[in-house]
Amino acid sequence: MQEDKIVVGLDIGTTKICVIVGRRNEYGKLEVMGMGKAVSDGVVRGIVTNIDKTVIGIQKAIAEAEEQSGIDIRVVNVGIAGQHIKSSIHHGSITRNSADDEITVEDINRLTNDMYRIVIPPGSEIIHVMPQSYTVDYEEGIKDPVGMSGVKLEADFHIITAQTNAINNINKCVRRANLEIENLILEPLASSLAVLSDEEKEAGVCLVDIGGGTTDIAIFHDNIIRHTAVIPFGGNIITSDIKQGCMVMQHQAELLKTKFGRAISEEASENEIVSIPGLRNRPPKEISIRNLSHIIEARMEEIVELVHAEIIASGYDGRLAGGIVITGGGSQLMGIRQLFEYMIGMDARIGYPNEHLGKSKIELVKSPMYATSVGLVLTGFKAIDDRENMYNERRPHTNNTSRQVRKEKEKASGGFFKNILDRTRNLLIDDMEDQDQY
């Protein structure tokens, strides 16, 4: 039963470590059973820099999620991000033995598995191999070649690589927290499952996930992921700019950003002033909301320009009818949607992970801040579905083959025994005739 399966997502982010325990209800929606959070002190821009602090954060978040859900967590689906993530397009092909036989799932898997053996830069590992389109005997643009006939099977693949050291550090942190990794997933892929609809992916859409340390980008077209990138700027750098520009403490800068900050400075009132408590024996500091918004706008414009550059580099500029979907903690900044629309000239919306969520006691997970965490759970269920579909596709073929073999054996054995019975009957008839003669 679908509701008996439980999947856990572990998001090791720059600002927070989040664990979500989920299962599917009878309607196929995700029901969040438990959630745990902890401050992330050992991660910088998506990369683990302090193993011990990260392990402590994971253990704290896991304990909280276990207490809420009543589940003993041992296996998790983990996200990976960071500037070290690279994506590229590679071409692969295999030659089949016969053109008469249909192309099977095994042929597709053989072609895909071959791509894991391509030469990549030293110190890197392939984490995802995603087919773009197939070619069968030089007939291009085929989305699903299973069942077709042909000798040469080719495909273009979107290959995503990550630094081996970054992967090893994540594995080490998870193992030290007494957990096992079921799947290691690129975070923008997980976020896309949580906030994008199939119609948007078909029409063409750019997902922008603004986290604490990085901004992750994933571009879809014709329901296929076409481009991925990670920009090493996020919400934390805006906080740092406010800290320096306004001469305040780090936690004060974060509060100013979240409560009063705007991505478009013109929308801020010139007369609006916020008073910040001063240091010991010092008077309070007054900060203009207009000046605060100028600082935020300058950095956000830089991030939007980098996002636009990635859209142009992907080759899909002007072809994304679904526009831009902004998610992550940074998407909650006031005026950010309007800034993206103004600078890039495309429709934009804020992505909430609501579409796949069922009723839940934990309303907090519906925030864009937890899109990646929800997406990691959804990715875990998708992996289960893919394995079951592959098993079901192979099973009928195996049953039919074994049934045919069994029939042939029965037919052969039936003919053999029939010959013995006929010969025995003939011998008995001969004996009876000989006795009659006597």
Side-chain angles (χ1 to χ4, degrees):
M1 295 292 291
Q2 289 283 3
E3 49 265 35
D4 293 338
K5 295 169 184 169
I6 294 171
V7 173
V8 180
L10 170 60
D11 177 16
I12 306 173
T14 305
T15 55
K16 69 181 185 311
I17 293 172
C18 182
V19 175
I20 289 183
V21 183
R23 65 183 174 193
R24 279 178 176 165
N25 60 21
E26 61 269 27
Y27 306 108
K29 297 289 186 180
L30 179 63
E31 178 186 334
V32 176
M33 303 169 63
M35 177 180 178
K37 291 186 302 174
V39 176
S40 180
D41 291 326
V43 182
V44 176
R45 291 183 176 176
I47 300 173
V48 175
T49 55
N50 189 307
I51 300 289
D52 292 336
K53 288 183 178 179
T54 305
V55 170
I56 291 169
I58 292 172
Q59 289 173 334
K60 184 180 177 183
I62 288 287
E64 187 179 336
E66 286 180 334
E67 185 179 349
Q68 280 191 14
S69 64
I71 302 295
D72 185 23
I73 298 172
R74 286 290 171 262
V75 181
V76 291
N77 294 273
V78 184
I80 184 169
Q83 194 180 2
H84 60 94
I85 300 291
K86 306 293 181 187
S87 69
S88 56
I89 302 295
H90 290 268
H91 187 80
S93 66
I94 59 170
T95 303
R96 303 174 65 250
N97 294 328
S98 173
D100 297 330
D101 295 337
E102 292 182 352
I103 295 172
T104 63
V105 176
E106 284 77 10
D107 293 324
I108 302 296
N109 291 338
R110 182 156 65 96
L111 176 59
T112 303
N113 291 335
D114 280 350
M115 300 310 296
Y116 282 95
R117 293 192 283 269
I118 65 170
V119 178
I120 57 174
S124 297
E125 267 183 48
I126 295 173
I127 56 174
H128 292 295
V129 173
M130 293 168 291
Q132 302 284 287
S133 63
Y134 294 92
T135 301
V136 178
D137 288 348
Y138 307 104
E139 185 180 343
E140 299 179 350
I142 298 168
K143 289 187 177 181
D144 186 6
V146 174
M148 297 179 65
S149 298
V151 174
K152 191 167 187 180
L153 176 63
E154 303 172 79
D156 289 324
F157 290 92
H158 185 87
I159 309 288
I160 297 176
T161 60
Q163 274 186 5
T164 304
N165 288 339
I167 296 172
N168 291 342
N169 286 337
I170 290 174
N171 288 334
K172 193 177 294 184
C173 291
V174 174
R175 280 199 306 271
R176 286 194 185 178
N178 298 318
L179 301 169
E180 293 179 17
I181 295 180
E182 178 73 17
N183 297 298
L184 186 66
I185 303 138
L186 183 66
E187 290 191 354
L189 294 182
S191 302
S192 69
L193 271 182
V195 302
L196 297 182
S197 66
D198 291 338
E199 290 82 5
E200 285 175 324
K201 292 179 185 177
E202 183 73 29
V205 66
C206 175
L207 174 73
V208 181
D209 186 348
I210 306 174
T214 61
T215 296
D216 303 333
I217 299 168
I219 296 174
F220 292 82
H221 193 267
D222 284 341
N223 235 335
I224 297 168
I225 187 162
R226 305 293 185 176
H227 184 74
T228 52
V230 178
I231 297 170
F233 297 130
N236 286 1
I237 198 167
I238 298 174
T239 305
S240 180
D241 290 346
I242 296 170
K243 176 186 173 183
Q244 294 180 14
C246 298
M247 300 292 289
V248 294
M249 302 294 290
Q250 180 82 14
H251 69 277
Q252 293 174 335
E254 182 68 25
L255 284 172
L256 283 170
K257 180 185 73 175
T258 55
K259 292 190 177 297
F260 304 103
R262 287 175 172 82
I264 300 176
S265 59
E266 290 180 0
E267 293 183 356
S269 171
E270 292 183 1
N271 303 322
E272 198 173 357
I273 302 293
V274 176
S275 181
I276 298 292
L279 296 176
R280 181 180 295 180
N281 298 326
R282 289 178 176 85
K285 181 185 284 288
E286 292 187 344
I287 294 170
S288 165
I289 297 299
R290 173 66 70 93
N291 291 340
L292 173 69
S293 299
H294 274 301
I295 295 170
I296 295 171
E297 184 181 36
R299 182 63 74 176
M300 276 309 308
E301 283 181 348
E302 184 181 359
I303 292 173
V304 174
E305 284 172 359
L306 291 170
V307 170
H308 194 193
E310 290 294 341
I311 294 174
I312 294 170
S314 72
Y316 285 88
D317 189 27
R319 299 168 61 186
L320 304 178
I324 298 170
V325 176
I326 314 158
T327 191
S331 67
Q332 298 175 95
L333 190 64
M334 283 188 284
I336 194 166
R337 180 181 63 84
Q338 292 87 341
L339 184 66
F340 269 88
E341 289 181 339
Y342 173 72
M343 291 189 65
I344 299 182
M346 296 167 61
D347 290 335
R349 72 172 179 88
I350 306 301
Y352 294 88
N354 296 342
E355 186 175 346
H356 303 286
L357 286 177
K359 288 185 177 180
S360 174
K361 297 177 183 176
I362 308 168
E363 291 295 317
L364 195 61
V365 296
K366 295 182 179 179
S367 166
M369 190 184 297
Y370 302 103
T372 300
S373 306
V374 172
L376 290 170
V377 179
L378 294 171
T379 306
F381 279 112
K382 185 175 182 294
I384 292 172
D385 292 342
D386 290 344
R387 283 196 295 269
E388 288 182 350
N389 290 338
M390 189 176 295
Y391 174 74
N392 291 332
E393 283 175 357
R394 290 176 176 175
R395 192 177 175 187
H397 175 73
T398 306
N399 287 348
N400 290 338
T401 304
S402 60
R403 197 180 297 118
Q404 184 68 25
V405 170
R406 191 164 61 249
K407 282 183 179 178
E408 290 176 0
K409 285 183 178 180
E410 288 174 356
K411 184 178 178 182
S413 60
F416 175 73
F417 286 116
K418 186 173 181 294
N419 290 335
I420 292 177
L421 288 172
D422 288 343
R423 290 176 64 184
T424 306
R425 188 169 60 250
N426 291 335
L427 287 172
L428 288 171
I429 292 171
D430 290 341
D431 287 343
M432 290 175 66
E433 288 177 350
D434 289 339
Q435 288 176 4
D436 291 340
Q437 287 179 1
Y438 288 109

